[in-house]
Amino acid sequence: MSNSEFVYMTVIAAPPDRVWQGLTTAEFTRQYWHATRVRSDFTPGAKIEFLNPDDSVGVAGEIVTAERPQELSYTWRFLRNPDAADDPVSLVTFRLEAIRAGTRLTVIHGRLAEGSATATLVAFGWPHVSAGLKTLLETGNAVDFTAREEPSCAGEQAAAGA
């Protein structure tokens, strides 16, 4: 089975420290990321979890890189979605680059098994998660663009625009 990579870039009118805070603080993530709260001490080797509103673990992984405010990477297991829970562990990396307008945020989700449920879901999800973070940091208004149901891995990928 070969691996694939998903890359998404956006510009956020906020400094890198603020974008980092948006990615690493539970008070922020619960507002734009499936109502999940991130939990980690953000040191290499530490656990990272995204807790659902009922405190179950939706995503689990391990911090690989935490270089505030330039780069954050961690392994990824999407436990919340039964179609993806048994997929191989993948790797998500956030690169934050200071630019005149704020921050260029690049999301790289690699080590994705081609055709896996995780690959389908992240291709749909990262643009929505990024849009929620961008909107929250730029306007102060929380919009969870991920609130609509995710595509099923069996056939709604085309309907979701992926």
Side-chain angles (χ1 to χ4, degrees):
M1 184 182 308
S2 61
N3 288 329
S4 63
E5 181 177 83
F6 176 82
V7 179
Y8 184 80
M9 188 275 297
T10 191
V11 174
I12 301 175
D17 272 330
R18 189 78 170 139
V19 176
W20 180 275
Q21 183 181 22
L23 291 169
T24 61
T25 307
E27 301 84 60
F28 279 93
T29 62
R30 72 170 179 75
Q31 295 180 69
Y32 69 89
W33 197 333
H34 294 296
T36 61
R37 297 176 329 278
V38 66
R39 177 171 65 186
S40 181
D41 69 8
F42 296 98
T43 58
K47 285 190 339 184
I48 184 169
E49 297 174 318
F50 287 83
L51 302 175
N52 296 317
D54 66 359
D55 288 330
S56 64
V57 178
V59 172
E62 182 178 303
I63 301 293
V64 175
T65 306
E67 298 171 5
R68 183 184 180 127
Q70 295 89 18
E71 184 170 306
L72 174 65
S73 65
Y74 46 86
T75 59
W76 177 278
R77 288 192 55 232
F78 199 12
L79 303 174
R80 187 181 90 164
N81 188 298
D83 292 333
D86 293 327
D87 284 352
V89 173
S90 54
L91 179 71
V92 63
T93 300
F94 298 94
R95 293 197 178 127
L96 293 75
E97 179 185 351
I99 59 174
R100 188 180 319 177
T103 303
R104 178 179 297 121
L105 174 65
T106 304
V107 180
I108 305 162
H109 200 132
R111 297 187 204 163
L112 293 163
E114 282 189 32
S116 67
T118 299
T120 299
L121 293 165
V122 302
F124 174 80
W126 283 124
H128 291 85
V129 168
S130 299
L133 173 62
K134 177 179 173 67
T135 301
L136 178 59
L137 293 178
E138 291 180 351
T139 70
N141 296 316
V143 177
D144 184 353
F145 292 103
T146 65
R148 86 169 206 114
E149 215 169 292
E150 297 159 349
S152 76
C153 298
E156 292 180 36
Q157 181 176 2

